[in-house]
Amino acid sequence: MIENVISKRYAKALSGSIADESALRRALDNLKDFGSAFETDRQLERFFSHPGISVAKKNALVGQLCDRLKADNVVRNLLGILVQRRKILFLKNIADYFESVVDERLNQVRVSVISAHPLTGENIEKLKTGLNRIFGKTILIETTEDQSLIAGIQLQVGDQVADATIKNRLAILKRTIEKEEVA
Amino acid sequence: MPQFEQVEVFHSLIFWSLISFAILFFLLKRFAFPPILEVLEERENKIRSEIGDAEKLRQEAEGLKADLGRELKNAHEKAQTIIQMAGDESKKIQEKSIQETQVKVRQMQNDAEQEIQITRNKLLNEIRSYTAALTMASTEKVIKKSLSDDDKKRLIDESIEEVLREMESRGV
């Protein structure tokens, strides 16, 4: 839990140090890239958590990674501080919190849509318009496909889920059959 | 008769005999009879006393007999009461035992019925669960096979409307 508190604090501090909206988006992209890099490459995690490796070496690697990812200075500075304070392993958490802070500042909401079949541009636009009317915010839609849903879509906004898939209907039907009393 | 011819002799003899008898009687009365009478009287008194004692004893015995009879009667009555009480107690214990046995039997019956009901429900649940799973699997297969491209598009359109309605109804 302390990890969440620390991550939130750094995310808010980073947001506070960026005024420009485009810079805010770039910083978010940079942080997400770093977070993904830490997730995919376990060696990075081992490198940064190793107590025998000096801070200078860790900073040098952070610099190289920032160059490769063309990260902004503000992100470089944050990563430098995290290495120095041995909090670099919280990066994924910080990125997640930073995303929510950025969304709040830019008045946008992220929506995850899982469909059994590919959605057309028209479908996505319809969803965006409808959700924009409901939330009053810019809608960012992320789509994924899952054929096990059979047909229809499942929508997730934050911790809320609206499921209109055939799989869900079959599951409801199954539960109804299971609960049905036999005389 | 020749015997009566010597009456003269006999007169004197009779006389002396009477005198000697009188003297003897006097002596006896004077010296022998009193102690004898005294002994006799004593004996009589003793006998009377013994008879009185015997009578008293007899009366006491009668009294004792009557007491014993009463006590025997009481004892008999007590014995009857005890037997009656024992009989009643035995009857009560028997009735209690029967009632307890009946309760136990009823409890066992209820337990058995409950167990049967639980097993029945469990089996029914398993059957329902299996039937539901089987139905769902077959339905899923049939739906997947029978869905045309138009159906898929229509279902996506419908589901978009549905999720939007759901989100709106939640008043986000």
Side-chain angles (χ1 to χ4, degrees), chain A residues 1-11 87 90 94:
Chain A
M1 291 307 104
I2 186 76
E3 189 179 320
N4 291 341
V5 176
I6 292 168
S7 304
K8 214 171 189 174
R9 198 187 301 156
Y10 279 104
K87 299 283 189 294
F90 296 169
I94 294 169

Side-chain angles (χ1 to χ4, degrees), chain A residues 42-60:
Chain A
R42 292 287 163 197
Q43 277 189 334
L44 268 179
E45 192 182 319
R46 279 201 290 275
F47 176 81
F48 281 104
S49 60
H50 201 291
I53 299 170
S54 67
V55 172
K57 278 185 183 173
K58 288 176 184 173
N59 265 330

Side-chain angles (χ1 to χ4, degrees), chain A residues 126 133 135 161 169 178, chain B residues 128 161-162 168 170 172:
Chain A
K126 196 174 176 182
R133 183 168 44 81
F135 290 101
V161 177
R169 284 175 195 175
E178 282 172 347
Chain B
R128 273 202 294 270
E161 294 291 340
E162 194 180 324
E168 203 161 11
R170 288 181 193 175
V172 184

Side-chain angles (χ1 to χ4, degrees), chain A residues 50-177:
Chain A
H50 201 291
I53 299 170
S54 67
V55 172
K57 278 185 183 173
K58 288 176 184 173
N59 265 330
L61 183 63
V62 165
Q64 281 176 20
L65 287 170
C66 285
D67 288 341
R68 203 180 296 169
L69 295 170
K70 293 174 184 169
D72 285 355
N73 281 338
V74 68
V75 175
R76 278 173 192 269
N77 292 340
L78 175 74
L79 293 174
I81 292 167
L82 291 176
V83 168
Q84 204 173 350
R85 295 182 182 175
R86 298 170 195 270
K87 299 283 189 294
I88 190 74
L89 296 177
F90 296 169
L91 194 61
K92 176 74 177 58
N93 252 16
I94 294 169
D96 290 342
Y97 276 112
F98 187 63
E99 186 181 77
S100 61
V101 172
V102 169
D103 288 346
E104 191 70 34
R105 268 186 67 177
L106 300 180
N107 194 33
Q108 61 190 23
V109 62
R110 286 169 201 276
V111 176
S112 166
V113 180
I114 308 170
S115 61
H117 305 103
L119 295 177
T120 61
E122 194 185 344
N123 294 145
I124 294 169
E125 271 312 307
K126 196 174 176 182
L127 272 170
K128 274 186 178 176
T129 313
L131 291 169
N132 177 262
R133 183 168 44 81
I134 295 164
F135 290 101
K137 291 180 178 181
T138 309
I139 305 298
L140 302 175
I141 288 185
E142 184 188 315
T143 58
T144 43
E145 278 182 44
D146 181 358
Q147 290 193 347
S148 73
L149 300 178
I150 306 170
I153 65 163
Q154 187 193 74
L155 188 138
Q156 186 174 357
V157 186
D159 56 354
Q160 296 199 56
V161 177
D163 199 333
T165 59
I166 296 294
K167 190 182 180 181
N168 184 45
R169 284 175 195 175
L170 287 175
I172 293 167
L173 184 64
K174 186 171 179 275
R175 282 198 295 274
T176 312
I177 293 171

Side-chain angles (χ1 to χ4, degrees), chain B residues 1-148:
Chain B
M1 289 183 28
Q3 291 91 340
F4 292 107
E5 284 172 2
Q6 297 173 355
V7 139
E8 291 293 324
V9 179
F10 282 122
H11 280 169
S12 160
L13 190 61
I14 287 167
F15 172 74
W16 288 108
S17 291
L18 284 171
I19 291 297
S20 59
F21 178 74
I23 291 165
L24 182 66
F25 182 76
F26 174 77
L27 288 172
L28 281 172
K29 195 177 177 184
R30 178 78 178 168
F31 300 105
F33 282 176
I36 290 169
L37 284 172
E38 196 180 336
V39 168
L40 282 173
E41 196 175 348
E42 196 180 326
R43 178 78 178 157
E44 187 187 344
N45 287 338
K46 194 180 174 188
I47 288 167
R48 278 186 201 283
S49 163
E50 281 177 356
I51 287 168
D53 290 347
E55 182 62 25
K56 208 184 279 178
L57 282 171
R58 191 187 64 78
Q59 282 174 356
E60 281 178 11
E62 284 292 328
L64 280 171
K65 190 184 169 188
D67 289 347
L68 282 172
R70 276 196 299 277
E71 280 182 18
L72 189 65
K73 198 181 171 189
N74 288 340
H76 186 69
E77 281 172 1
K78 274 184 188 173
Q80 281 299 326
T81 312
I82 288 165
I83 288 166
Q84 182 68 31
M85 282 168 72
D88 290 349
E89 193 64 24
S90 163
K91 207 173 176 182
K92 274 181 194 171
I93 290 167
Q94 203 177 352
E95 279 172 6
K96 197 181 169 189
S97 172
I98 288 168
Q99 278 175 356
E100 281 175 1
T101 311
Q102 281 174 344
V103 168
K104 273 184 191 171
V105 167
R106 270 200 296 273
Q107 183 65 41
M108 282 168 74
Q109 200 177 350
N110 287 342
D111 288 350
E113 279 173 8
Q114 211 173 349
E115 203 171 328
I116 289 167
Q117 191 63 32
I118 288 166
T119 312
R120 180 179 172 270
N121 288 343
K122 198 177 163 188
L123 274 174
L124 283 174
N125 284 338
E126 278 175 16
I127 291 166
R128 273 202 294 270
S129 180
Y130 182 71
T131 311
L134 204 66
T135 311
M136 291 309 110
S138 347
T139 313
E140 202 176 312
K141 267 188 186 175
V142 171
I143 291 172
K144 273 183 180 170
K145 271 187 186 173
S146 62
L147 274 180
S148 66

